[in-house]
Amino acid sequence: MLSRTADNLFWLSRYVERAENMARLMEMGYRMALMPAVVDGNRSEWESVLSASGCAAGYDPDAPLRQEEVANFLIFNRDNHSSIINCFEYARANARAMRTAITAEMWEALNNALMELRRPSMHNLVKNELPEFIDWVKKQGALFRGATDSTILRNDGYDFIRLGTFIERADNTARLLDVKYYVLLPETSMVGDGVDNYQWTTVLRAASSLRAFHWVYRDDYSPHRIAHFLILNPFSPRSLAHCSEQITQHLERLARHYGQRHSVHRQAVEMYSLLTQSDMDEIFSGGLHEFLTDFQGRNRILSLAIADAYHFGGQ
């Protein structure tokens, strides 16, 4: 496969996953804002979402940190590289660049999503029914993944798509967990109270993991259990451990396909081993935020190593 095609497939899946996960971050902010947790008379949830999204630097410092303004910035702002509309635009541009490398069903799922997102009525939906819009974005991601899983060949192109998906998903699961850190920064006395426990369950809801968590841990909705489910549980589809395992497996498939290994294969195994050898007591003792920050750094380095090994141009 041409390196340019592999680059397009990798980033196509990353942008679709990023759009969905930006919606998940907003879902956390929306649910947390429903609780009567107030710091100095002002809610901090939407500022926390901005911080965790990595987009805070581009937000107008004079703009209010309210739901409508932050949501518009994260969804429609063309100057925000990671806004949802930009993610769908970039995803479709990558798909168009190698149209013959994806199936008609994949193209239709992506193209239809962008056409609908461009409608003026979407602005009203975001303003008046943000949860409904968030659900719409998540459904578009599910439609694209369903089209991909059910129609594309399991060749090297599929591996690059899956690598993009799991690199992005791991990063965004870490961001979802980090929203809790940013929310609690102003008021550490909230740790362990009813508001704190509710906020932890919103992490599960935003990750579409509430029922799956209940199957494993029943009614033990403690921060320790929730963090374990989203970080170290290999059976949780959005956990860091599961994403890391999938990255390692798809890199191994590429090594067998091309008959060549690179340093990125070792780096992926090291990152996966770090997770399999960790436990939540150590992670909380050393600082959850610090652990997540370190993981995100390793994940970024791994993404760059994949690009270097397979000669991507970079986006």
Side-chain angles (χ1 to χ4, degrees):
M1 175 173 287
L2 294 174
S3 60
R4 183 58 183 168
T5 301
D7 184 30
N8 290 140
L9 291 171
F10 178 79
W11 279 101
L12 161 62
S13 61
R14 284 199 69 166
Y15 282 126
V16 173
E17 187 74 20
R18 185 175 300 179
E20 181 180 345
N21 284 291
M22 190 64 73
R24 293 179 184 278
L25 280 170
M26 286 190 290
E27 180 178 1
M28 275 199 68
Y30 178 83
R31 289 183 180 277
M32 288 184 177
L34 295 176
M35 291 294 291
V38 179
V39 179
D40 296 330
N42 295 298
R43 295 186 183 277
S44 63
E45 288 84 358
W46 289 103
E47 183 178 6
S48 303
V49 169
L50 273 177
S51 298
S53 72
C55 302
Y59 191 74
D60 184 353
D62 296 322
L65 292 166
R66 297 184 305 217
Q67 175 181 310
E68 184 175 351
E69 287 78 10
V70 175
N72 278 317
F73 175 73
L74 295 177
I75 296 168
F76 297 117
N77 192 298
R78 293 288 186 171
D79 294 326
N80 177 7
H81 182 79
S82 294
S83 69
I84 289 175
I85 194 165
N86 275 341
C87 286
F88 277 112
E89 293 277 10
Y90 300 150
R92 196 182 72 154
N94 277 284
R96 180 185 289 167
M98 41 83 200
R99 181 70 180 80
T100 57
I102 63 173
T103 65
E105 291 80 3
M106 293 168 67
W107 171 259
E108 288 170 7
L110 191 56
N111 191 56
N112 291 344
L114 181 57
M115 293 300 101
E116 191 169 350
L117 184 56
R118 285 175 174 174
R119 293 176 181 172
S121 60
M122 278 296 188
H123 287 266
N124 290 330
L125 184 63
V126 169
K127 181 178 181 179
N128 300 316
E129 297 291 343
L130 183 59
E132 185 176 335
F133 175 81
I134 289 169
D135 286 342
W136 177 85
V137 175
K138 291 192 290 186
K139 287 176 182 176
Q140 304 317 302
L143 283 171
F144 178 77
R145 284 194 302 276
T148 302
D149 289 343
S150 60
T151 63
I152 200 169
L153 289 173
R154 268 35 177 186
N155 55 14
D156 50 345
Y158 176 74
D159 291 315
F160 286 116
I161 289 173
R162 298 298 278 174
L163 281 173
T165 295
F166 287 111
I167 284 283
E168 191 68 30
R169 183 175 296 177
D171 178 74
N172 282 283
T173 295
R175 291 181 188 277
L176 281 175
L177 285 162
D178 234 11
V179 171
K180 271 295 298 163
Y181 168 80
Y182 287 111
V183 165
L184 289 178
L185 268 180
E187 190 63 66
T188 55
S189 64
M190 290 164 52
V191 175
D193 69 4
V195 171
D196 180 40
N197 293 335
Y198 171 82
Q199 289 174 342
W200 273 105
T201 62
T202 66
V203 181
L204 288 175
R205 291 182 185 276
S208 299
S209 299
L210 190 63
R211 181 165 296 183
F213 177 89
H214 181 74
W215 289 336
V216 178
Y217 300 117
R218 298 300 178 186
D219 296 321
D220 184 6
Y221 292 101
S222 65
H224 189 284
R225 292 294 195 191
I226 293 172
H228 180 272
F229 189 74
L230 293 175
I231 295 175
L232 301 181
N233 191 312
F235 302 108
S236 172
R238 291 188 174 275
S239 74
L240 305 187
H242 178 76
C243 291
S244 185
E245 180 183 25
Q246 291 296 309
I247 291 167
T248 301
Q249 290 180 2
H250 284 287
L251 283 170
E252 284 299 318
R253 279 171 49 93
L254 287 172
R256 292 194 298 271
H257 181 84
Y258 293 125
Q260 189 176 15
R261 300 179 66 82
H262 305 278
S263 61
V264 68
H265 292 86
R266 173 184 52 78
Q267 290 173 255
V269 170
E270 288 176 355
M271 190 167 76
Y272 181 48
S273 298
L274 171 70
L275 292 166
T276 58
Q277 294 170 12
S278 297
D279 67 67
M280 289 314 304
D281 288 335
E282 292 179 355
I283 291 173
F284 272 106
S285 176
L288 178 60
H289 173 67
E290 288 72 20
F291 177 86
L292 295 171
T293 300
D294 177 73
F295 176 85
Q296 287 177 288
R298 291 172 183 268
N299 198 49
R300 282 192 293 270
I301 292 171
L302 187 62
S303 177
L304 293 172
I306 292 171
D308 182 63
Y310 297 103
H311 311 292
F312 292 175
Q315 297 186 35

